[in-house]
Amino acid sequence: MRLILTLMVVLLSFSSIAKPLSYYFEQDVEFDSTIPTPEEVLGYQVGEWHVRHDQLVRYMEILADKSDRINFEVIGRTHEQRPLVMLTITAANKLSSIEQTRQAHLARLSNNNSKAQDEPAVVWMGYSVHGNESSGSNASLLVAYYLAAAQGSEIEELLNNTVILLDPSLNPDGLARFANWVNSNRGMNLSSDPKTREHVENWPSSRTNHYWFDLNRDWLLLQHPESRARIAKFHQWKPNILTDFHEMGPNSSYFFQPGIPSRKHPITPDENVTLTKAIANYHAKTLDENNALYFTEESFDDFYYGKGSTYPDVNGGIGILFEQASSRGHIQETINGPLSFPFTIKNQLLTSLSTFKAAIDNRHALLDYQAKFYNQATDLASDESFEGYVVEGASDNTRIMHFLELLKQHQINAYPLTKSLKVEGNNFSTDSYFVPLAQPQYRLVKAVFSEQKNFADNTFYDVSGWTLAHAFNLPFSKVKSSWGLKVADKAWEKVVAPSFATLTEGYAFGFSWDDYLAPKMLNSLLQQGIKARVALNALTAKSTSGEINFKPGSIIIPAGLQTNTDWITLLNKAQNEFGIAIKPITSGLTSKGADLGSRSMAVVNAPKVLLVGGQGASQYEVGEAWYYLDRFVGVAPTIVEMNRFSSLELSDYSHIVLAHGNYNSLSDADKVAIKSWVRKGGVIWGHKGGAKFLADQQLLKASYLSRQDVASAFKTTGLSYGDKDHLAGRQRIAGAIFNTNVDLSHPLTFSLKRNTLPVFKNSTWLLEASDAPFVNVLTYTKNPLLAGFTDAVNVEQVAGGAGLIAHSYGRGTVIGMTDDPVFRGYWYGTSRLLSNALFFGHTFRANGE
């Protein structure tokens, strides 16, 4: 009998899960028959198939065309050029004046009138930021239909008291990949077996966007067009409620916030939690009425401000995370029985509708809270013990510009210094910028500069430190007093790209390696046949306008090496495209340093990079390396899964990059081939798990502490079972910022100016410093923790360890880094280590033993 029941569960008719609208909506809801249902447009019932993004967009367009309640707009495009869609929904008689409504909503946040009158609450509905958590986007079909077609007093009250911003797909590229996967792997008879191909995606999963980034971590970092478009729209409206619909493991139930009370960010006002709890009662009521299991105040937290459910919390709104147990296909067997796709969609619909009800009933409280949040900012800033932060500018124009652009997108103003300033013994020139606390984004300013290290609850779901200035390797200090502080009247705005003098024929040309785009400009020139050299030591060259100082790492382009007749044209085009001045040199004889024909002028070639991925490798960190190389270096890496590695001719590549992962699935023959390739002159880079693989293969001559070694340093005597989670939290490094000492004489650190460099650490795997000379490029300082939580036991173990080790292996080079240099795309400081390895990894010799 049990076998028969199992077969009945595993083999289900495809049509048996198809559900009509009556499954999703209460029977007493009436709909306008002139508004097409999803089934009439898609050709199938919601939940019968996974909706493709193009189908989703088309349905939203049709709704906007048929309904006088909806405006449809494209607010941006993804990397793969899919439209980012936004629906603005309100009562028909108010839609024509929606711009006045928007302006009035924003005006309340700066006129000290915190009491709401008849203004609507702004509710942002965001679905499926993770592409393979698609019940949200499929539910958005029903939510949009309800808002367009429902009739009666309830919908009229909703539309007259709210403006609803509906984003049906936060991650169109991921959603498209997942819909293709599950739809192409289902049969007419559905299998609920969790092991079937439909439920188990290939590497990389469609959770991520085009570059395999988790877009739910990018709300603050804004590395991707999806996030930049979304944040621009967010600040156009500043919603009172923002919903963020996700999925979790199949064997769970349903989660909605509030999360763990002690794990909110200390900057978030307590009133935010109070309102979140009030709204939660509406979700509980509707799920109770539908006999759906759920939980709150567990697992998830409200700490990192870079997620969809927390970014609103630092912007005067209420962010709400929803997590539905996932069918990951059309139906899946779970500990709670068969979990169907329509069921998951229905739960997301139910809590969407309960959000609307909560917004209406709590409208005045939400509006008053948001107005107070902003109108009290200046007063709160005046109570602080400091005025704001001063951030050092840089000869790296691109890096500081991207930093200031990031602040600007978050509505944070930075003002250029008009007079140099000395703060805490540090000198800040007029190239620096002052970020005052006294501005509407007071709380967000504190958050992005925070160096807090201890918290009420030191257990984190995500990162605990994300100080933006550290990520950009920009020195900064708190300004305790306005005495002597002189700044421009107007905040920084992006300026027109500089123009440069036209280059003509000359003996040679050179450019600094300082700018963040220097590697990309060099690679572009090399790809076009320009021959170049890197100056391994400083030199002073002659030019028509006097002497020019070139620092180590400067790129020299001698006329005598060029074979492309258009080479001068290419140089002129490059300096204007990349914004980096190329300086003429009139003689090969220098007044200081090596002459231009010296052996210390090392050859540089366009790198041919092999980036290894596949099962076992972190799709996030492989994606981060791909993104950096593609966007900032102009290199198109060859990305190959480990199971295809043996088919390669390694001599076709100059570099191998191993991001974090487990590379033990490479065959013994593959490992032998790698060693042989390095001996013959190849440069191999590995970070985190990639570095561990290099050490295990004795390519990297270094010892390390495993996670188990680090964990064993914690005392466990006398602990009870109830202490288990607390101990695990102490043993982790859940995303913190550490400081390292830098060997500034090493080619891998060219362009770095300070003898310290902040790095991001989210692993307890640690490289030990080498006893061999010349190979420890980065080492952790004696007191390395800069920001975020790390237990004192772990800090002590990190101190003095190796951040980056590099040495020769035969004629080649091996480079191992303890941490990810391109974490989430925004670590502009450490990412230069990777591009330096590509262009200069062959220029040094050091014995690792």
Side-chain angles (χ1 to χ4, degrees):
M1 184 64 179
R2 183 172 181 177
L3 177 60
I4 294 173
L5 288 174
T6 301
L7 289 173
M8 289 174 64
V9 166
V10 172
L11 297 175
L12 292 163
S13 167
F14 188 69
S15 62
S16 70
I17 70 160
K19 301 294 183 183
L21 284 177
S22 59
Y23 171 77
Y24 296 105
F25 293 105
E26 294 180 3
Q27 298 299 316
D28 59 351
V29 178
E30 295 183 5
F31 294 97
D32 182 347
S33 61
T34 67
I35 304 296
T37 66
E39 182 180 4
E40 289 171 339
V41 174
L42 302 176
Y44 59 86
Q45 294 173 343
V46 173
E48 190 174 355
W49 294 79
H50 282 248
V51 70
R52 301 194 313 267
H53 182 259
D54 61 295
Q55 295 173 312
L56 185 68
V57 171
R58 181 60 184 147
Y59 183 65
M60 300 302 170
E61 287 177 322
I62 291 173
L63 283 183
D65 181 59
K66 298 294 185 180
S67 172
D68 56 4
R69 303 170 177 175
I70 299 176
N71 274 346
F72 173 96
E73 64 180 315
V74 175
I75 63 173
R77 290 192 174 270
T78 70
H79 287 294
E80 296 177 15
Q81 296 307 301
R82 289 186 173 88
L84 297 161
V85 170
M86 178 66 68
L87 275 61
T88 304
I89 307 168
T90 192
N93 63 341
K94 296 184 177 183
L95 197 58
S96 60
S97 59
I98 195 67
E99 177 57 20
Q100 292 93 315
T101 301
R102 185 186 72 82
Q103 291 181 11
H105 176 73
L106 294 183
R108 291 184 62 256
L109 308 185
S110 58
N111 64 10
N112 293 316
N113 179 19
S114 63
K115 290 299 180 183
Q117 302 299 323
D118 296 324
E119 298 92 342
V122 180
V123 182
W124 180 303
M125 307 297 290
Y127 297 93
S128 299
V129 72
H130 297 139
N132 60 5
E133 299 177 3
S134 59
S135 61
S137 285
N138 283 266
S140 76
L141 294 163
L142 298 167
V143 175
Y145 174 67
Y146 173 80
L147 295 171
Q151 303 295 298
S153 59
E154 187 171 333
I155 189 68
E156 292 300 325
E157 183 184 19
L158 172 63
L159 296 174
N160 279 307
N161 288 282
T162 62
V163 173
I164 297 169
L165 305 173
L166 194 150
D167 185 340
S169 174
L170 296 161
N171 179 7
D173 293 346
L175 182 73
R177 290 205 311 274
F178 188 62
N180 180 67
W181 177 268
V182 293
N183 288 337
S184 63
N185 283 293
R186 63 88 175 150
M188 295 304 297
N189 294 292
L190 298 183
S191 172
S192 65
D193 186 345
K195 301 300 183 182
T196 193
R197 178 177 166 85
E198 179 185 352
H199 300 138
V200 184
E201 287 182 86
N202 279 344
W203 186 99
S205 79
S206 51
R207 172 185 176 89
T208 51
N209 78 337
H210 174 79
Y211 281 102
W212 310 337
F213 274 64
D214 183 342
L215 288 178
N216 196 40
R217 305 305 190 265
D218 198 47
W219 286 72
L220 185 65
L221 313 178
L222 304 185
Q223 292 300 299
H224 298 278
E226 299 92 333
S227 307
R228 292 191 289 272
R230 190 164 299 124
I231 290 302
K233 197 67 178 178
F234 178 97
H235 286 294
Q236 284 180 13
W237 275 101
K238 295 193 185 296
N240 300 102
I241 296 176
L242 185 146
T243 60
D244 189 20
F245 288 87
H246 290 251
E247 292 179 1
M248 54 186 166
N251 290 318
S252 193
S253 59
Y254 197 88
F255 169 85
F256 52 87
Q257 285 177 314
I260 298 175
S262 60
R263 295 186 193 172
K264 82 170 182 67
H265 198 289
I267 290 174
T268 302
D270 291 339
E271 191 175 348
N272 175 285
V273 179
T274 301
L275 284 167
T276 303
K277 287 183 176 180
I279 294 169
N281 290 325
Y282 291 80
H283 309 318
K285 182 176 184 295
T286 194
L287 292 174
D288 285 345
E289 291 170 350
N290 285 270
N291 297 320
L293 295 174
Y294 57 88
F295 63 98
T296 67
E297 297 188 314
E298 290 182 36
S299 301
F300 304 96
D301 64 40
D302 276 336
F303 185 79
Y304 171 50
Y305 282 136
K307 297 187 295 185
S309 60
T310 48
Y311 186 77
D313 295 346
V314 78
N315 284 281
I318 308 297
I320 302 177
L321 171 68
F322 298 98
E323 294 271 357
Q324 164 64 48
S326 178
S327 63
R328 276 296 188 273
H330 294 90
I331 193 164
Q332 185 169 169
E333 184 62 31
T334 76
I335 61 171
N336 297 314
L339 178 62
S340 73
F341 189 41
F343 178 83
T344 69
I345 294 170
K346 183 175 182 178
N347 275 350
Q348 306 284 40
L349 171 65
L350 290 172
T351 51
S352 295
L353 299 179
S354 60
T355 298
F356 297 150
K357 179 62 174 172
I360 296 171
D361 291 353
N362 294 274
R363 178 169 61 91
H364 287 94
L366 290 164
L367 290 167
D368 291 347
Y369 165 72
Q370 186 182 48
K372 184 169 67 174
F373 183 96
Y374 283 106
N375 289 323
Q376 290 183 346
T378 301
D379 291 340
L380 291 172
S382 66
D383 292 337
E384 295 282 358
S385 60
F386 63 105
E387 300 291 321
Y389 303 88
V390 61
V391 183
E392 184 179 298
S395 53
D396 179 350
N397 293 326
T398 297
R399 182 158 46 100
I400 187 66
M401 181 189 70
H402 283 196
F403 175 76
L404 294 169
E405 279 185 328
L406 183 54
L407 296 184
K408 199 71 174 180
Q409 289 174 89
H410 292 297
Q411 311 289 295
I412 294 174
N413 289 322
Y415 296 83
L417 295 190
T418 58
K419 180 183 178 181
S420 60
L421 183 69
K422 189 171 185 177
V423 181
E424 298 175 341
N426 300 314
N427 293 310
F428 293 89
S429 71
T430 53
D431 291 329
S432 302
Y433 298 86
F434 175 64
V435 182
L437 285 179
Q439 55 180 305
Q441 292 291 64
Y442 153 75
R443 290 179 178 84
L444 187 53
V445 170
K446 288 192 67 178
V448 299
F449 283 96
S450 174
E451 294 183 288
Q452 188 170 349
K453 299 173 185 175
N454 287 289
F455 308 87
D457 186 335
N458 287 321
T459 303
F460 298 92
Y461 180 74
D462 202 82
V463 301
S464 63
W466 58 83
T467 318
L468 294 184
H470 283 324
F472 280 76
N473 191 26
L474 294 170
F476 70 100
S477 292
K478 287 183 177 179
V479 177
K480 301 291 181 64
S481 169
S482 59
W483 186 88
L485 176 65
K486 303 294 182 182
V487 301
D489 294 333
K490 293 185 177 180
W492 174 89
E493 293 285 353
K494 188 176 182 179
V495 298
V496 177
S499 58
F500 301 98
T502 301
L503 304 173
T504 58
E505 295 285 347
Y507 179 84
F509 298 88
F511 63 88
S512 168
W513 195 244
D514 287 343
D515 194 272
Y516 196 71
L517 291 182
K520 191 171 185 178
M521 184 165 86
L522 173 61
N523 189 61
S524 176
L525 292 171
L526 294 173
Q527 292 285 355
Q528 296 175 87
I530 299 296
K531 305 296 192 297
R533 299 288 185 265
V534 56
L536 298 180
N537 300 295
L539 61 94
T540 302
K542 301 171 184 176
S543 76
T544 54
S545 57
E547 294 186 333
I548 305 174
N549 294 318
F550 287 100
K551 290 175 283 192
S554 296
I555 302 301
I556 306 299
I557 302 171
L561 296 179
Q562 307 310 315
T563 56
N564 189 325
T565 56
D566 292 331
W567 72 289
I568 296 295
T569 300
L570 295 175
L571 295 187
N572 278 302
K573 180 181 177 182
Q575 67 173 353
N576 287 303
E577 178 183 352
F578 296 100
I580 301 171
I582 298 177
K583 305 292 184 65
I585 300 172
T586 57
S587 173
L589 183 66
T590 63
S591 57
K592 292 181 182 178
D595 297 326
L596 299 196
S598 166
R599 293 176 181 174
S600 66
M601 298 290 172
V603 175
V604 286
N605 294 307
K608 297 179 180 178
V609 180
L610 176 63
L611 179 58
V612 183
Q615 290 294 339
S618 165
Q619 72 178 74
Y620 302 120
E621 298 200 19
V622 174
E624 289 160 2
W626 175 26
Y627 175 76
Y628 173 69
L629 296 176
D630 194 25
R631 181 183 180 193
F632 291 117
V633 190
V635 168
T638 298
I639 305 174
V640 174
E641 297 89 341
M642 280 177 259
N643 60 9
R644 294 197 294 125
F645 192 89
S646 60
S647 67
L648 301 174
E649 179 53 64
L650 292 186
S651 61
D652 291 341
Y653 308 99
S654 61
H655 293 72
I656 294 176
V657 174
L658 303 177
H660 181 53
N662 185 332
Y663 294 89
N664 290 333
S665 64
L666 291 172
S667 69
D668 290 343
D670 292 336
K671 296 169 185 176
V672 169
I674 291 172
K675 290 183 178 180
S676 175
W677 172 84
V678 177
R679 285 194 194 96
K680 293 175 182 177
V683 177
I684 192 164
W685 167 290
H687 59 258
K688 294 175 65 177
K692 179 180 182 298
F693 171 80
L694 296 179
D696 288 341
Q697 300 307 310
Q698 299 185 337
L699 274 159
L700 184 67
K701 306 301 182 182
S703 300
Y704 62 79
L705 295 178
S706 69
R707 293 181 180 86
Q708 292 75 22
D709 294 332
V710 174
S712 66
F714 286 80
K715 295 180 180 179
T716 57
T717 304
L719 295 182
S720 67
Y721 186 80
D723 298 320
K724 183 180 179 182
D725 288 345
H726 179 66
L727 175 63
R730 291 182 60 208
Q731 290 174 329
R732 293 179 65 210
I733 297 179
I737 301 172
F738 286 73
N739 207 11
T740 62
N741 292 314
V742 181
D743 179 355
L744 289 174
S745 69
H746 201 285
L748 291 180
T749 66
F750 285 165
S751 84
L752 301 183
K753 300 295 183 293
R754 294 190 292 166
N755 59 8
T756 58
L757 176 67
V759 301
F760 184 84
K761 176 174 287 298
N762 61 354
S763 167
T764 54
W765 183 84
L766 302 172
L767 272 171
E768 295 184 309
S770 174
D771 292 331
F774 321 127
V775 302
N776 295 310
V777 182
L778 300 182
T779 53
Y780 293 99
T781 61
K782 291 182 179 179
N783 298 295
L785 184 61
L786 290 173
F789 171 73
T790 299
D791 191 274
V793 174
N794 280 337
V795 173
E796 183 177 352
Q797 294 188 87
V798 172
L804 189 147
I805 291 175
H807 59 73
S808 306
Y809 188 92
R811 296 199 302 273
T813 305
V814 181
I815 305 167
M817 187 168 178
T818 309
D819 306 303
D820 179 2
V822 289
F823 179 72
R824 291 184 181 167
Y826 79 111
W827 273 82
Y828 281 55
T830 50
S831 59
R832 286 303 295 271
L833 299 167
L834 180 55
S835 53
N836 285 353
L838 297 186
F839 294 102
F840 312 141
H842 64 288
T843 64
F844 59 89
R845 307 296 299 166
N847 190 342
E849 297 179 316

